[in-house]
Amino acid sequence: MSALLAVQGLTVTFQARGGLVKAVENVSFDIQPGEILGVVGESGSGKSVTAQALLRILEPAGQITAGRAMLNGVDLLSCSESAMRRVRGRLVSMVFQNPRAALNPVVSVGRQIEDVLVYAGGLTRRAARERALGLLAAVRISDPKRRAGALPMELSGGMCQRVMLAIALAASPRLLIADEPTTGLDVTTQAAVMALLEGEIRARGMSLLLITHDLALAGEFCDRIGVMHAGHLVECGPAVSVLRTPLHPYTARLVGTMPQGKPDIAALLPISGSLPDLRGALPPCRYAGRCERHQATCDQPPLPLVSPALGHHVACRWPL
């Protein structure tokens, strides 16, 4: 089966006051039709930058310096901006981690859904209004007609996230990117939003790129998991395999921080050290300074990508 999205060698840099920041380097992965891929890692590991690069919505200081990202025959990284405007919403949409910031505060949520349907879906304003009510009902917002007239500030965080999902689904894209979609929500609302998100993805036959720092959540909802550290994709494989038999020392440390299955708090394993400074010269393995398995050969480029198990890849000279 050919991949819906195939990313090869994605590299993103930022011009900062202290020098050039290599935020994402040589990242490659694919997403199959109907698949949910989770990307996990600490804050600052490059997860959100990867998603923003795919949609070409990086901050002005950011620049894509290398790579390809083929989505349904379109290279997202090199096509013109006018072509990207046709792709956004129609082929790929995004749910952001802060729905209140992403929604227009002075326009009703119903109107914001309608605008997407008119622009990306080609509907008349009247047809878009009816379709918007149907989308609000589909994302489990009660009394859609009344809620459609509300401003984002009049809705709860969970409702705003559901509105964002309705907007993302409006033009029936092939791929949905969800960047920390449960951030700031209480545990009950988190579960409801994720169940709704998974249900809509499965029912519509879409693919999902789920970005999260929550490894347990990724394990519950994703088919495969990719692990990022300091701008590198260090491991990728089936969710069960990554969680039960992690191959990269960093992934093993992440799994060790999960409370699930631990008898008490003393059994939790902290991750030593911190992310390296991404400016200037960096070793081939950016985890080397934190790794208890580090050896002199780890500092010799290039960093190998090996597959000890079927469909399970790791960028490490001494995998577990």
Side-chain angles (χ1 to χ4, degrees), residues 30-61:
D30 59 50
I31 301 178
Q32 300 298 320
E35 181 182 39
I36 299 180
L37 173 68
V39 176
V40 303
E42 295 169 274
S43 296
S45 61
K47 306 184 303 296
S48 294
V49 170
T50 297
Q52 291 164 11
L54 293 178
L55 280 173
R56 303 256 298 275
I57 55 172
L58 291 166
E59 296 177 10

Side-chain angles (χ1 to χ4, degrees), residues 40 214-225 227 235-247 251-252 254-256 258 260 262 312:
V40 303
D214 189 336
L215 200 57
L217 183 144
E220 181 178 356
F221 290 99
C222 298
D223 302 307
R224 288 189 300 137
I225 292 176
V227 180
E235 184 167 357
C236 190
V240 173
S241 178
V242 170
L243 294 180
R244 290 184 180 175
T245 56
L247 300 177
T251 308
L254 283 180
V255 173
M258 296 171 61
Q260 289 81 358
K262 305 292 192 305
H312 196 159

Side-chain angles (χ1 to χ4, degrees), residues 3-320:
L4 173 65
L5 173 69
V7 179
Q8 297 176 330
L10 173 62
T11 300
V12 180
T13 61
F14 284 84
Q15 187 62 54
R17 185 170 299 173
L20 197 65
V21 177
K22 301 169 185 174
V24 172
E25 183 178 58
N26 197 29
V27 166
S28 300
F29 63 90
D30 59 50
I31 301 178
Q32 300 298 320
E35 181 182 39
I36 299 180
L37 173 68
V39 176
V40 303
E42 295 169 274
S43 296
S45 61
K47 306 184 303 296
S48 294
V49 170
T50 297
Q52 291 164 11
L54 293 178
L55 280 173
R56 303 256 298 275
I57 55 172
L58 291 166
E59 296 177 10
Q63 183 177 3
I64 301 168
T65 57
R68 299 181 69 200
M70 300 302 298
L71 174 64
N72 206 42
V74 178
D75 187 352
L76 302 178
L77 306 185
S78 65
C79 68
S80 66
E81 179 54 32
S82 61
M84 275 304 298
R85 284 196 291 269
R86 293 191 294 272
V87 166
R88 296 187 192 106
R90 294 181 176 92
L91 283 179
V92 56
S93 291
M94 187 165 179
V95 176
F96 296 89
Q97 61 179 294
N98 187 345
R100 291 193 188 281
L103 292 169
N104 190 324
V106 296
V107 177
S108 70
V109 296
R111 180 63 183 231
Q112 293 186 58
I113 301 172
E114 291 174 29
D115 289 343
V116 175
L117 290 165
V118 171
Y119 176 75
L123 301 184
T124 64
R125 182 61 64 176
R126 183 173 183 176
R129 190 170 298 115
E130 291 300 316
R131 176 65 178 145
L133 296 179
L135 284 165
L136 287 173
V139 296
R140 318 282 173 78
I141 290 183
S142 60
D143 197 357
K145 192 171 184 178
R146 180 170 68 88
R147 299 294 189 186
L151 296 175
M153 63 179 294
E154 298 174 306
L155 302 178
S156 68
M159 281 192 177
C160 284
Q161 195 58 286
R162 290 167 188 255
V163 170
M164 283 299 304
L165 179 56
I167 291 173
L169 295 173
S172 300
R174 301 282 303 280
L175 173 66
L176 182 65
I177 301 174
D179 186 3
E180 301 279 10
T182 60
T183 296
L185 304 180
D186 61 74
V187 175
T188 301
T189 306
Q190 285 181 16
V193 167
M194 283 307 304
L196 175 62
L197 179 59
E198 183 191 28
E200 290 297 320
I201 290 296
R202 302 296 191 194
R204 296 167 184 260
M206 297 167 58
S207 299
L208 173 64
L209 174 58
L210 174 65
I211 295 170
T212 179
H213 65 275
D214 189 336
L215 200 57
L217 183 144
E220 181 178 356
F221 290 99
C222 298
D223 302 307
R224 288 189 300 137
I225 292 176
V227 180
M228 289 195 72
H229 175 270
H232 283 175
L233 186 66
V234 298
E235 184 167 357
C236 190
V240 173
S241 178
V242 170
L243 294 180
R244 290 184 180 175
T245 56
L247 300 177
H248 197 281
Y250 176 65
T251 308
R253 284 291 188 176
L254 283 180
V255 173
T257 66
M258 296 171 61
Q260 289 81 358
K262 305 292 192 305
D264 51 51
I265 194 170
L268 297 178
L269 301 175
I271 302 176
S272 60
S274 58
L275 293 173
D277 188 340
L278 300 183
R279 296 167 295 184
L282 289 163
C285 175
R286 296 182 176 183
Y287 188 62
R290 312 171 74 180
C291 184
E292 65 276 9
R293 296 170 63 85
H294 176 260
Q295 299 185 33
T297 53
C298 298
D299 299 327
Q300 299 173 5
L303 183 65
L305 181 68
V306 297
S307 302
L310 183 64
H312 196 159
H313 314 290
V314 58
C316 182
R317 288 191 181 277
W318 306 103
L320 300 175

